């Protein structure tokens, strides 16, 4: 066998190189983990601050399942009936309305998001009180359809839940009008930019609510 010094040095260099790469990979992993934990901690602190000013008792819940390619459909939360969660309860996040609880197990619950195309939410324009309904659009934008053929609305107006909604309490923030089509039939439509980052939810707030 070739036991020359040069070969021995080569083996040592290879081991050092492998060790360096593994060390760098581990450092990168720890850095990313730390960044994620910091981000999660900041979001949780915001939610805890938000929940502290609520008039009714709320439940802070972690998001435990969120389909990456269908983030707009539903979420599974790590709180269930044993935590007091019931079907029909309202879910909000930093920025406003997220959806409502549609099914519950002892330890988990599923949320139908307002971004799901099957979702319908009665809304109003905060500035004028004009009524309409938002429809999920499988994206960070939802459609708004107005009941009036000549609605008092402008781009940039804020959208909240309607006082006549049966499924949601009045006045929950949703988003802002991004575009309008007054020529749409049978009534004008528009796009609403949502204030909640649905594709990046990690914690939410569950609000007890009994539908009308």
């Amino acid at each position: 066998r070739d036991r020359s010094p040069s070969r021995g040095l080569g083996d040592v260099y290879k081991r050092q190189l492998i060790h360096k790469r593994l060390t760098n990979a581990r450092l990168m992993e720890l850095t990313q983990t730390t960044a994620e934990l910091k981000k999660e901690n900041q979001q949780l602190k915001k939610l805890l601050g938000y929940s502290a000013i609520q008039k009714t008792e709320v439940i802070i819940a972690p998001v435990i399942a969120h389909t990456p390619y269908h983030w707009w459909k539903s979420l599974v939360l790590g709180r269930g009936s044993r935590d007091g969660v019931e079907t029909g309860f309202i879910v909000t996040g930093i920025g406003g309305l997220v959806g409502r609880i549609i099914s519950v197990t002892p330890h988990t619950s599923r949320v139908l998001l307002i971004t799901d195309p099957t979702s319908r939410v009665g809304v109003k324009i905060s500035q004028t009180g004009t009524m309409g309904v938002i429809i999920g659009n499988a994206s960070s934008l939802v459609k708004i359809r107005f009941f009036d053929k000549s609605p008092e609305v402008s781009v940039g107006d804020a959208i909240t839940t309607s006082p006549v909604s049966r499924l949601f309490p009045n006045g929950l923030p949703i988003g802002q009008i991004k575009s309008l089509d007054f020529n749409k039939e049978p009534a004008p439509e528009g796009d609403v930019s949502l204030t909640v980052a649905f594709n990046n939810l990690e914690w939410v707030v569950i609000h007890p609510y009994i539908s009308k």
Side-chain angles (χ1 to χ4, degrees):
R1 295 181 180 178
D2 182 4
R3 297 183 179 275
S4 63
S6 60
R7 179 166 180 172
L9 290 174
D11 291 341
V12 171
Y13 175 75
K14 287 179 181 179
R15 287 196 296 271
Q16 290 177 339
L17 184 61
I18 291 172
H19 178 72
K20 184 177 180 180
R21 287 176 178 174
L22 289 173
T23 301
N24 289 340
R26 180 57 177 163
L27 286 173
M28 184 178 294
E29 179 186 356
L30 290 172
T31 300
Q32 291 174 341
T33 301
T34 301
E36 284 297 319
L37 289 173
K38 184 178 180 181
K39 177 183 174 184
E40 181 178 322
N41 188 47
Q42 289 174 341
Q43 189 177 75
L44 185 55
K45 281 184 177 179
K46 288 182 180 180
L47 280 176
L48 289 172
Y50 170 73
S51 66
I53 62 173
Q54 300 304 300
K55 295 180 180 179
T56 57
E57 187 175 348
V58 297
I59 303 166
I60 303 294
V63 175
I64 61 173
H66 197 177
T67 308
Y69 301 106
H70 300 287
W71 58 264
W72 42 265
K73 289 183 70 67
S74 65
L75 296 176
V76 177
L77 307 180
R79 298 287 185 270
S81 58
R82 291 191 176 182
D83 304 291
V85 181
E86 297 179 18
T87 301
F89 280 11
I90 305 306
V91 180
T92 64
I94 298 172
L97 182 62
V98 170
R100 58 191 295 267
I101 302 293
I102 56 172
S103 64
V104 179
T105 72
H107 300 288
T108 66
S109 52
R110 183 174 292 275
V111 184
L112 175 67
L113 303 178
I114 61 172
T115 49
D116 189 296
T118 66
S119 177
R120 303 288 187 275
V121 182
V123 297
K124 69 176 180 180
I125 306 299
S126 297
Q127 285 82 350
T128 64
T130 296
M131 300 286 189
V133 60
I134 60 167
I135 303 167
N137 199 34
S139 74
S140 57
L141 295 177
V142 295
K143 288 289 181 183
I144 182 169
R145 292 178 182 170
F146 298 99
F147 301 138
D148 192 337
K149 288 190 175 183
S150 300
E152 294 183 59
V153 59
S154 303
V155 171
D157 282 354
I159 304 294
T160 64
T161 49
S162 167
V164 298
S165 174
R166 293 185 176 182
L167 298 178
F168 298 91
N170 177 40
L172 294 177
I174 293 176
Q176 289 183 313
I177 298 290
K178 185 175 183 180
S179 64
L180 291 165
D181 182 357
F182 288 100
N183 298 316
K184 192 73 174 180
E185 295 292 342
E189 291 186 359
D191 288 324
V192 175
S193 177
L194 300 171
T195 49
V196 173
F198 281 81
N199 61 341
N200 196 33
L201 283 173
E202 295 176 354
W203 293 87
V204 295
V205 178
I206 302 174
H207 304 254
Y209 185 71
I210 305 299
S211 59
K212 300 175 183 178

